[in-house]
Amino acid sequence: MTTKNNANRYVGRLAPSPTGLLHVGHAATFWAAHERAREYNGRLLLRNEDLDPQRSKVEFVEAMVEDLAWLGIEWEPPMISQSERRELYRAAFERLLEAGFVYPCRCSRKDLARMMHAPHEDVDDELVYDGRCRPAGEALSRSLVPEMNYRFRVSDGEVVRFVDGDVGAQNFTARVDFGDFLVWRKDGLPSYQLACVVDDAAMGITEVVRGTDLLKSTARQILLQRALGLGGVEYFHTRLMVDEHGVRLAKRHDALAIRTLREHGLSREDVLAMAG
Ligand code: GLU
């Protein structure tokens, strides 16, 4: 448990994906992360989540560093880039495979799209996989099939509980709120869930501050932490900003990119007030 008296013990992180410009929603989350780290007299690290070579752009990395500085959100260098840490993720994947937690999945994108029927499905989230490639027996094969997606087999009905520092007690049920989830992609990249868990542990993160859109991801990440024997992390999920129509700001970065607002003459204080 992180305590305020335990100076230097708190380690937080900012984890933007350089797939677009930072917007006001990011400013809100990152400002909260900055404030939490300050409150605990802790450290705040920056992790550049640039795993996906198709979607990540160097100009967005530069822009995010600049926007953070403009907002007055200080972080401790060096910036850590996920694209440089692939061996770490691969080693974790192999541990999961050897310990029998994962299985290969042959479903194509089309198969998966067809499964996307559940009306309650959050479109940003991974669908609840119906388990069609899940092996029938208890034991999972531990041998590697190359160029294959791999999924983590959840225990159906298991309830993952955690107490969030902001939104309180949470519980999510395996196979209801999330299904067997992707840990490794056939193109040789880890999934977001796996990379995040590996990095949070390797970076010594004590508290993850992020938006409530990632609550179900947290449940999956807790299962991965347990499977990999990694220490737990505390969580603080900030409420998401919505516009006057209830649309999440993350969907509208066009008008609300921090630099657009800045170009329109808004000050740092104005942007933080919008974010706050
Ligand atoms: N890169 C993720 C995002 O921008 C952040 C995930 C996290 O905080 O774990 O949504």
Side-chain angles (χ1 to χ4, degrees), residues 13 15-17 26 47 49 192 196 200 208-210 213-214 221:
R13 56 23 166 222
S17 304
H26 291 112
R47 182 165 81 224
E49 300 215 322
Y192 154 66
C196 183
D200 286 340
V208 168
V209 177
R210 60 185 172 205
D213 55 332
L214 291 170
Q221 290 175 18

Side-chain angles (χ1 to χ4, degrees), residues 119-221:
H120 60 273
E121 199 63 65
D122 181 337
V123 288
D124 278 355
D125 200 19
E126 190 174 339
L127 73 159
V128 177
Y129 182 62
D130 70 1
R132 66 183 67 178
C133 289
R134 188 195 259 202
E138 268 306 297
L140 297 183
S141 159
R142 288 152 204 238
S143 57
L144 182 71
V145 189
E147 287 175 41
M148 188 70 77
N149 289 319
Y150 272 82
R151 293 182 180 277
F152 184 94
R153 181 171 67 181
V154 300
S155 301
D156 296 357
E158 181 185 1
V159 182
V160 181
R161 298 173 203 278
F162 59 96
V163 179
D164 185 80
D166 196 19
V167 293
Q170 303 291 317
N171 60 79
F172 295 99
T173 305
R175 206 65 190 265
V176 176
D177 295 311
F178 57 88
D180 290 349
F181 57 90
L182 205 63
V183 292
W184 197 257
R185 293 169 23 166
K186 61 178 177 208
D187 57 4
L189 291 174
S191 69
Y192 154 66
Q193 310 294 354
L194 180 63
C196 183
V197 161
V198 167
D199 278 337
D200 286 340
M203 291 162 68
I205 302 300
T206 61
E207 184 180 76
V208 168
V209 177
R210 60 185 172 205
T212 47
D213 55 332
L214 291 170
L215 279 166
K216 281 190 211 168
S217 283
T218 295
R220 279 168 278 185
Q221 290 175 18

